[in-house]
Amino acid sequence: MSIETLSVPYFLQVELTYACNSHCIFCYNPTRGKRPDKDHVWNVIRAVAEAQVPLVQLTGGEVSLLRELNEYADYLADYSKVSIVTNAIRRHDLTSNISKIFLSLHGDKETHERITSNRDTYDVIVNNIEHYVGRGYEVATDVLLCSENYDQMYSLIGRAAELGMCEVFINRFQGGGFGVERMNALMPSVEQFRAALDQIIDARRDFGITVSFGTAIPLCADKRLVSEGLEFNCQMGSRFAAVAPNGDLRLCNQSLKQYGNITETPLTELWQQRSLNDYRDMRWVTGVCRDCPLLDRCGSGCRVDNSQSEDYCPDAFVRGLEKRPELVADILNESGDIRTVPEIPSSPNTGSRRIRTEKDLLIIDKYAEKYLVRSNYSALVVDQRCVDICVKSKDGVIDEVDLWRSVQQSDSIPLRDDVMGRYVDHLVAAGVLVEEA
């Protein structure tokens, strides 16, 4: 088994700086006082723009310390949807080209300030959340789930909903940087994780807010990850990667291993080099994960743990297991194929609609894979016909019949009207095309 990849990472974290105004006890960044060379950061930004990565996240360190933050986002916006990660201690007058703000919040006031080692900042952060939400930004809370706050997930999610945030994004603690020194103290046990999951599921139901994981968790830790739609595979090395302020490419922001520099060699070339096979051929997978039928779905959980000697390894939740959990068989029996297809009408549309592309849809047609990059900070990999439909729609063809007839003219194998109607129905159901009232 090996990991298949795209022509370019689907999602790229770009670390602009390692300077930071907080002192989080879990932080993977061991060089908080180091400020990058501005000229070199610009070279990194230009290289990322050239690669046309669909989703780019600007992170650090702390990005709000950089006066050039808006310039970076504006430069990237023609070919990428740009988000930022910030601790929100310092308010920044942000450009509208930032599509989403991931903002750190790790518990109640006492817990948050203890975890961040930063007194008297919680109320400032809350005020800045209200400011960004009030300005119309999509704001998600970026939570570090650890042994210090696992029992506060319900109240934290409720607080995020109360503040008008659009999503709660949860990262389970993983050993890196300063966090390695506190690995045993901060890593939640499987029992604590399950208790946190109880609260996450209840809070999502009670507060109606989107909750998702940003750290891959082994599915055998709790089958509710599948049954409750919380399954997540970060797809590092296939669709996700990270770039340091000096341009060094890594497969994950937690990883220490580097695979060249994007300011010296184009990202697309680095992404296809054979040296990445030391991860992609999955030779590092050991123990109960080795032949697990769920391996391609969860990737063995989080694969980077700097408390271990290996560059890549199975997740701490499963590393020491001598026997594969019975939950694996249960998940396979109950879930089957978990992929969902958007609901579409039972019969093809007659073509009476006037439809248009979603506002601010970006189309990346540079690679073998085609990307539609949406305003809600998500992207779809599509075929050329889908790109053609969206291009025609953006060019002003909004009558459904005219739209698919214009596309059929350029198709080497034209589709029948009823089949093309079904195709358009799928795009409407997926939210790529929008019906006009």
Side-chain angles (χ1 to χ4, degrees):
M1 179 179 177
S2 61
I3 297 174
E4 296 182 359
T5 187
L6 301 172
S7 301
V8 70
Y10 184 97
F11 176 48
L12 188 69
Q13 281 192 325
V14 181
E15 299 164 330
L16 298 177
T17 179
Y18 288 141
C20 191
N21 54 355
S22 197
H23 307 278
C24 301
I25 59 177
F26 59 81
C27 185
Y28 76 91
N29 166 24
T31 54
R32 291 175 180 156
K34 187 175 181 180
R35 293 185 177 273
D37 180 276
K38 293 180 182 178
D39 291 338
H40 205 94
V41 172
W42 266 115
N43 289 337
V44 171
I45 294 296
R46 293 186 186 99
V48 173
E50 174 64 25
Q52 297 185 20
V53 177
L55 302 174
V56 174
Q57 187 173 81
L58 303 180
T59 183
E62 175 48 44
V63 296
S64 67
L65 300 177
L66 301 174
R67 294 180 180 179
E68 303 83 8
L69 177 59
N70 285 342
E71 296 175 46
Y72 298 147
D74 291 341
Y75 191 90
L76 292 166
D78 284 343
Y79 289 107
S80 302
K81 288 294 181 184
V82 182
S83 69
I84 64 169
V85 179
T86 176
N87 59 32
I89 295 172
R90 183 178 184 273
R91 183 181 299 180
H92 203 297
D93 186 17
L94 297 174
T95 173
S96 60
N97 279 324
I98 291 175
S99 299
K100 196 167 187 177
I101 303 171
F102 292 86
L103 192 149
S104 301
L105 204 61
H106 305 303
D108 60 23
K109 176 180 173 65
E110 179 184 354
T111 303
H112 179 87
E113 292 181 357
R114 182 174 67 252
I115 288 175
T116 60
S117 304
N118 229 337
R119 295 181 59 186
D120 301 323
T121 54
Y122 181 86
D123 293 336
V124 172
I125 293 167
V126 168
N127 287 336
N128 287 335
I129 292 172
E130 293 173 334
H131 168 78
Y132 291 131
V133 170
R135 291 281 301 274
Y137 288 100
E138 281 205 350
V139 182
T141 184
D142 202 4
V143 181
L144 189 282
L145 169 60
C146 64
S147 60
E148 296 272 335
N149 65 358
Y150 76 92
D151 57 351
Q152 294 187 29
M153 292 300 106
Y154 186 89
S155 58
L156 195 157
I157 293 168
R159 184 70 167 130
E162 179 186 0
L163 290 168
M165 303 174 90
C166 66
E167 181 179 7
V168 177
F169 197 70
I170 300 175
N171 294 289
R172 190 208 58 193
F173 169 78
Q174 193 65 13
F178 296 102
V180 171
E181 302 171 9
R182 301 175 174 86
M183 184 76 180
N184 293 333
L186 291 177
M187 176 63 77
S189 65
V190 175
E191 291 72 23
Q192 288 174 333
F193 176 79
R194 289 171 178 163
L197 198 57
D198 290 339
Q199 293 195 14
I200 289 167
I201 293 168
D202 289 345
R204 184 181 59 176
R205 177 199 64 221
D206 292 347
F207 301 114
I209 188 172
T210 300
V211 183
S212 55
F213 281 102
T215 303
I217 308 293
L219 298 183
C220 60
D222 195 305
K223 66 180 180 181
R224 291 175 298 170
L225 291 167
V226 175
S227 63
E228 294 290 337
L230 292 166
E231 177 174 346
F232 175 72
N233 184 340
C234 72
Q235 298 182 317
M236 61 171 278
S238 62
R239 285 159 172 74
F240 167 66
V243 173
N246 69 351
D248 286 341
L249 175 68
R250 311 192 308 283
L251 301 188
C252 169
N253 60 315
Q254 293 270 0
S255 178
L256 300 177
K257 186 159 188 180
Q258 302 165 0
Y259 293 92
N261 192 291
I262 68 170
T263 66
E264 299 168 359
T265 305
L267 175 59
T268 49
E269 291 185 27
L270 293 179
W271 198 240
Q272 301 302 325
Q273 63 185 325
R274 290 183 179 179
S275 61
L276 274 71
N277 287 340
D278 71 337
Y279 168 74
R280 289 175 178 162
D281 66 12
M282 305 193 79
R283 69 183 77 168
W284 49 270
V285 181
T286 57
V288 298
C289 295
R290 183 75 185 163
D291 300 310
C292 180
L294 294 177
L295 180 59
D296 65 332
R297 282 169 58 171
C298 76
S300 81
C302 187
R303 284 133 266 181
V304 178
D305 185 339
N306 294 323
S307 70
Q308 304 297 300
S309 59
E310 300 86 359
D311 292 318
Y312 312 108
C313 60
D315 191 279
F317 278 0
V318 293
R319 230 171 12 236
L321 297 181
E322 296 181 358
K323 181 181 178 182
R324 185 172 297 147
E326 294 180 3
L327 282 179
V328 171
D330 293 341
I331 291 170
L332 289 170
N333 290 333
E334 293 177 14
S335 66
D337 188 347
I338 64 160
R339 292 171 296 178
T340 59
V341 178
E343 183 179 351
I344 59 175
S346 58
S347 59
N349 193 276
T350 59
S352 59
R353 290 174 294 187
R354 291 168 63 85
I355 51 182
R356 56 175 174 78
T357 56
E358 174 201 74
K359 182 183 179 182
D360 300 327
L361 184 77
L362 285 179
I363 300 171
I364 300 177
D365 197 14
K366 182 176 181 178
Y367 303 106
E369 309 88 7
K370 314 302 177 184
Y371 301 94
L372 301 180
V373 193
R374 304 181 58 191
S375 58
N376 67 349
Y377 202 72
S378 66
L380 301 172
V381 180
V382 298
D383 60 14
Q384 185 62 53
R385 181 178 284 116
C386 182
V387 169
D388 293 342
I389 288 174
C390 291
V391 168
K392 291 291 185 181
S393 180
K394 285 175 75 72
D395 287 344
V397 180
I398 59 175
D399 179 81
E400 183 175 6
V401 174
D402 292 341
L403 183 63
W404 78 56
R405 291 281 169 79
S406 67
V407 172
Q408 282 181 317
Q409 292 174 5
S410 61
D411 267 340
S412 57
I413 306 177
L415 297 180
R416 301 192 317 269
D417 282 358
D418 61 335
V419 178
M420 182 62 88
R422 174 71 73 193
Y423 194 94
V424 173
D425 286 336
H426 272 284
L427 298 182
V428 171
V432 174
L433 296 177
V434 181
E435 287 190 68
E436 289 194 341

